[in-house]
Amino acid sequence: MKKLSKTAISAIAITAALSGPMQLNAAEEVKIEHLGTRNTLVRVPDAGKYLLLPVQDSNDDAKINVLVDGKLDKTINVRLAKSKVDYYVPFDLTPYKGHDLVLTVVTSQDRSSVREAKDDACWSNLTISDTFDTANREKYRPLFHHTPLWGWMNDPNGMFYKDGVWHLYFQHNPYGSKWQNLSWGHSTSTDLINWEQQPEALEPDGLGMIFSGSSAVDRTGSAGFGKDAVVAMYTSAAESQIQSLAWSDDNGATFTTYPGNPVLTLESEARDPNMFRDEKNNRWVLTLAHALEHEMLIFTSPDMKTWTLESAFGKGIGAQGGVWECPDLFELTVDGSGEKKWVLLCNLNPGGIFGGSATQYFVGDFDGKTFTADTDAEGNIPTKWLDFGKDHYAAVSWSDAPDNRRTLIGWMSNWQYAAEVPTLQFRSANTLPREIGLFKAGDGQIYASYSPSPELLALRDRAVTKSRGFNIGSKPRRIALPSENDGVCEIVITLNGQKADSIDLELQNEAGEKVVMTYNVSGNSLSFDRRNSGVTDFSHDFPAVTTAPTFNSDGKLCLRIFIDRSSIEVFESDGKFAMTNLVFPTKPYSSLSVSAKGGKARVDGIEVYSIKVK
Ligand code: FRU
């Protein structure tokens, strides 16, 4: 079957064109035979590029066995429509040209008769087509954030940079907008703004689904896959979670799985291998989440295939509420001092700062084998959070980024409600790409800074507002947001609250929905209230207030705020904090109102930019 999947990879064309189903003659029609109350056989004609599968999100999965010339090629799980079609997913037919293609479908519904089973909406709506419509029409689809063109997405993973291209892989279900059939989706960009979705890079195989992992360019060919091969290490997830390798000799477009897999097994749940090159010791270092033990294991290897356990970090340290997942370990220089420190990212779920999933990190030292976290003045290891919103998870960095950069991206959702958010053809976006750094704060401790990547300045189109400043009191001063693209924009605002208790920034729309951000001057904090932000009732965990420390004490706060249809990311202008929250307003937010409480305040400057993408 290898030959088939290779063809699949090169032949998938993702088109945005709109066209109706093809006219087929009798020999080219899909033939459906109902074999039992839950069992149906579908003969697929050798015509067209896609079989469009009708999906109903609320239905249970049907198991579809794909038989090619009578042999099982793969099994996929799809929520085939029962009473109505929510959307379609494309099953690519190009790999099967010239072959006999039969799908045997086992549905989940309880049926009293075959006649009843025949009425399911999926059967009359199975369609052969030469195109699959991925045009960006959903109201909550972001304009300038990466989303899959269709299907479910969770963690970003396996990212690397090579020859001017940023490769972003992601946990993808190409057959529906809920978590299932985990594959590595793949998108590429040369500017971190415009992303082009590529064919799936890794799909479930006999060892299981393809969970999160990492990739590295093997410059010396140490793994035996050739010099400059891109080597991916990921978790194969089935009955057990085991670690596997795959390599690519075409810059990450297609991967071949290593026949010696798995390369690492443990008795209890372990996942999300993240490896990097330790040049000094001429070997590879791997961090692996020992999920239920709340620890990150550190291994070393000369060749990525044989791994030696060196140490474990985490027992009893930091937030312990849920499983530990998606580690990342890297060195950074502390801003201004030149001191080198290591950062260990430990994503955890649940148990995040505002409930559900979130990213905690530790600052410390790494000697090539063991990570030791810094302590505070009392000798404790403090829990630090990388982002102070509810929708930032599984953040990891690109390997081999240029100019010594440490560029990260996160999944912009939360396991509490990710599968329920009000989108259909796609579910979930990534955060904006960000640069991580380190700074020493007033309490003497070292924290991570987290700023939008410099490339994002190119998003700015027109300055629809540019003001050198004005005084504010209790009466709100209203600033219009851009009229184009549903008001997506970047706002840069400098607040001066030295003579006030607090300053409110309110985003409002015609429907009376709002997001309230409050700068609490004496509390040195910024809060974000999305309880009345629009559609919030799909999960009781969604309405929430999140709060970030501002790391300042002079009453002045400069913010960069990115609004993109269903997300708001707030950054302190030097990256001292970041806060990422989803919102689902029924109408776009059209204005920003600024007011002060407990005294007069000032806006020392405000710029609002409309956004352009290619
Ligand atoms: C984190 C996670 C990872 C796992 C992946 C599966 O969100 O649970 O630990 O590899 O998602 O999709």
Side-chain angles (χ1 to χ4, degrees), residues 81-158:
K82 187 175 162 198
S83 53
K84 72 171 173 66
V85 180
D86 290 329
Y87 55 89
Y88 288 84
V89 290
F91 182 82
D92 185 23
L93 297 175
T94 40
Y96 307 112
K97 291 281 153 232
H99 295 269
D100 238 25
L101 181 62
V102 170
L103 310 181
T104 61
V105 182
V106 181
T107 61
S108 49
Q109 25 261 29
D110 263 343
R111 298 301 198 187
S112 53
S113 67
V114 170
R115 180 181 299 171
E116 203 185 317
K118 279 184 179 167
D119 286 342
D120 283 359
C122 57
W123 309 125
S124 52
N125 287 290
L126 271 176
T127 311
I128 299 278
S129 175
D130 267 345
T131 57
F132 174 61
D133 181 7
T134 59
N136 193 340
R137 273 189 222 92
E138 270 189 58
K139 153 175 177 183
Y140 294 127
R141 174 101 76 165
L143 182 71
F144 58 93
H145 285 74
H146 174 260
T147 60
L149 292 175
W150 75 94
W152 163 271
M153 174 176 80
N154 56 293
D155 316 356
N157 56 215

Side-chain angles (χ1 to χ4, degrees), residues 12 105 114 184 344 509 521 588:
I12 298 174
V105 182
V114 170
W184 276 24
L344 178 63
N509 69 6
V521 180

Side-chain angles (χ1 to χ4, degrees), residues 154-155 171 179 182 211-212 235 271-272 325-326 393-394 411 415:
N154 56 293
D155 316 356
Q171 290 285 283
W179 189 91
L182 271 293
F211 273 16
S212 282
T235 302
R271 56 181 176 269
D272 313 335
E325 304 182 314
C326 306
Y393 194 56
W411 175 44
W415 279 114

